C-alpha cells in the first residue's frame, strides 16, 4: 500500500464551530485519553474524514458553511454504519427525529454534561483510557496526600482515607495538574458542566468548598479563590 493511501487513525472527529466549546471539549477528550481532531467547518470536517480512519464523529448541526445533517448523510453514503453523535442547540422534536432517522447513535442537546457524554463515548467505543503515565494518572501525590482515581479516595500520610465523588476527584486531579497556577473558573465550568450559567457557577463553588475541607488533611495545601478569575491550589503554603 502506498504511503498516500495510509490514513491516520482518530478516536473522535469533532466538528463544532463555537470556539470556546470546541477548544475545551476537544482538550477534555484528549485529557481523557482519546485521539481527537477538532474542525470548525463542514469543509474541514469532510476533508478530515476523507484523510482519517474515524471511530466516532461528533457533528454540530448548525455550521457556518453548511448543515451537519447533510454532512452526516454524505458520510453515511460512503461509510454505512459510521457511528455519529449530533451535538446541537436545536431542541425541536423534528430535528431530533431527523438526526436519529439518518442513523445517528445519539442526539445531544446543548448545554450538556461532559461527564455524561464521556460515558456515552466510552460505552460506544468500548475502550478504556490508554495507560499513558498510568501511575501518575491512577494515583496522584500532592503534599502528604494521595489521590486515587480508581477508588476515588484521598489518603493522608497516616493512612486516613476519605471517599470522593467522581466529580470531586476529577476537579481535584485537574487542580493538582495545575498546582500553584491560576485555573480559570470559566474553563472549569465548560469542561465539567458544559456551560457557564449562574447555577453551575454556584455548584462549582460548593465543590471547591468540599475540596477545601478535604485538603485540611494536610495544612500545607490550600485552594485560593481569585475574585472574578478562578482558583489556585497552593502547595507548601506557609500558615501562621
Amino acid at each position: 500500500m502506498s504511503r498516500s493511501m495510509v490514513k491516520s487513525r482518530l478516536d473522535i472527529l469533532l466538528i463544532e464551530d463555537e470556539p470556546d466549546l470546541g477548544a475545551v471539549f476537544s482538550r477534555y477528550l484528549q485529557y481523557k485519553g482519546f485521539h481527537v481532531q477538532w474542525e470548525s467547518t463542514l469543509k474541514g470536517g469532510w476533508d478530515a474524514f476523507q484523510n482519517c480512519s474515524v471511530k466516532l464523529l461528533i457533528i454540530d448541526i448548525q455550521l457556518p458553511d453548511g448543515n451537519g445533517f447533510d454532512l452526516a448523510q454524505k458520510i453515511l453514503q460512503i461509510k454505512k454504519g459510521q457511528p455519529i453523535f449530533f451535538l446541537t442547540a436545536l431542541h425541536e422534536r423534528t430535528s431530533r427525529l431527523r438526526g436519529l432517522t439518518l442513523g445517528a447513535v445519539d442526539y445531544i442537546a446543548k448545554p450538556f454534561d461532559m461527564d455524561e457524554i464521556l460515558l456515552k463515548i466510552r460505552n460506544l467505543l468500548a475502550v478504556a483510557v490508554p495507560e499513558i503515565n498510568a501511575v501518575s494518572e491512577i494515583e496522584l501525590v500532592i503534599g502528604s496526600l494521595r489521590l486515587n482515581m480508581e477508588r476515588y479516595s484521598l489518603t493522608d500520610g497516616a493512612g486516613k482515607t476519605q471517599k470522593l465523588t467522581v466529580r470531586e476527584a476529577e476537579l481535584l486531579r485537574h487542580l493538582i495538574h495545575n498546582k500553584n497556577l491560576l485555573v480559570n473558573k470559566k474553563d472549569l465550568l465548560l469542561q465539567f458542566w458544559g456551560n457557564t450559567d449562574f447555577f453551575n457557577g454556584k455548584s462549582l463553588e460548593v465543590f471547591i468548598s468540599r475540596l477545601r475541607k478535604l485538603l485540611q488533611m494536610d495544612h500545607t495545601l490550600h485552594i485560593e479563590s481569585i475574585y472574578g478569575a478562578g482558583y489556585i491550589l497552593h502547595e507548601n503554603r506557609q500558615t501562621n
Side-chain angles (χ1 to χ4, degrees):
M1 183 179 291
S2 68
R3 182 178 296 273
S4 62
M5 295 176 65
V6 177
K7 292 187 175 183
S8 61
R9 296 181 182 274
L10 284 176
D11 292 320
I12 300 167
L13 174 57
L14 172 64
I15 307 170
E16 167 58 59
D17 68 319
E18 293 183 27
D20 287 345
L21 178 58
V24 170
F25 190 30
S26 59
R27 285 201 303 265
Y28 173 77
L29 292 173
Q30 289 166 353
Y31 181 69
K32 294 297 182 180
F34 295 103
H35 185 200
V36 181
Q37 182 169 331
W38 167 41
E39 297 292 339
S40 60
T41 64
L42 185 149
K43 183 181 184 305
W46 173 245
D47 290 345
F49 177 78
Q50 290 183 299
N51 292 315
C52 298
S53 174
V54 181
K55 292 182 180 178
L56 171 65
L57 282 114
I58 302 178
I59 307 175
D60 188 8
I61 292 174
Q62 297 175 301
L63 296 166
D65 58 342
N67 186 294
F69 287 142
D70 295 336
L71 174 61
Q73 191 168 21
K74 187 176 179 181
I75 287 171
L76 290 169
Q77 285 175 349
I78 64 172
K79 188 178 179 183
K80 187 176 180 179
Q82 168 67 56
I84 295 174
F85 285 179
F86 283 119
L87 187 66
T88 178
L90 297 175
H91 293 203
E92 294 87 352
R93 180 173 179 271
T94 53
S95 294
R96 181 181 295 273
L97 289 176
R98 183 181 178 188
L100 296 174
T101 300
L102 281 173
V105 177
D106 210 337
Y107 185 104
I108 299 165
K110 301 175 185 177
F112 58 88
D113 185 301
M114 289 200 182
D115 291 339
E116 181 179 342
I117 196 172
L118 174 65
L119 289 174
K120 290 182 177 183
I121 291 168
R122 284 182 173 166
N123 288 340
L124 176 68
L125 299 182
V127 294
V129 176
E131 294 189 11
I132 301 171
N133 298 323
V135 173
S136 63
E137 285 303 310
I138 292 173
E139 187 170 83
L140 294 86
V141 177
I142 186 166
S144 63
L145 305 184
R146 281 183 161 78
L147 172 64
N148 189 294
M149 293 303 298
E150 287 186 333
R151 299 184 180 91
Y152 300 116
S153 63
L154 191 65
T155 304
D156 67 12
K160 181 181 178 181
T161 298
Q162 295 276 356
K163 293 294 292 182
L164 287 73
T165 67
V166 173
R167 182 158 289 177
E168 286 169 351
E170 295 281 3
L171 275 171
L172 183 54
R173 175 169 65 176
H174 188 81
L175 292 172
I176 290 172
H177 278 304
N178 295 278
K179 68 181 181 182
N180 300 319
L181 299 173
L182 174 65
V183 177
N184 188 276
K185 183 175 181 179
K186 179 182 177 182
D187 290 345
L188 287 176
L189 287 169
L190 286 171
Q191 178 166 332
F192 292 100
W193 276 267
N195 65 65
T196 60
D197 71 25
F198 174 81
F199 295 104
N200 285 336
K202 290 298 182 184
S203 179
L204 172 58
E205 291 173 9
V206 170
F207 275 92
I208 293 295
S209 178
R210 168 68 175 154
L211 291 180
R212 284 196 176 104
K213 291 178 181 178
L214 290 167
L215 292 178
Q216 288 176 1
M217 298 164 70
D218 184 332
H219 70 275
T220 68
L221 303 174
H222 174 72
I223 299 175
E224 179 185 5
S225 295
I226 307 298
Y227 182 76
Y231 305 96
I232 302 174
L233 171 57
H234 293 282
E235 185 179 16
N236 298 322
R237 186 174 187 268
Q238 297 297 318
T239 59
N240 295 327

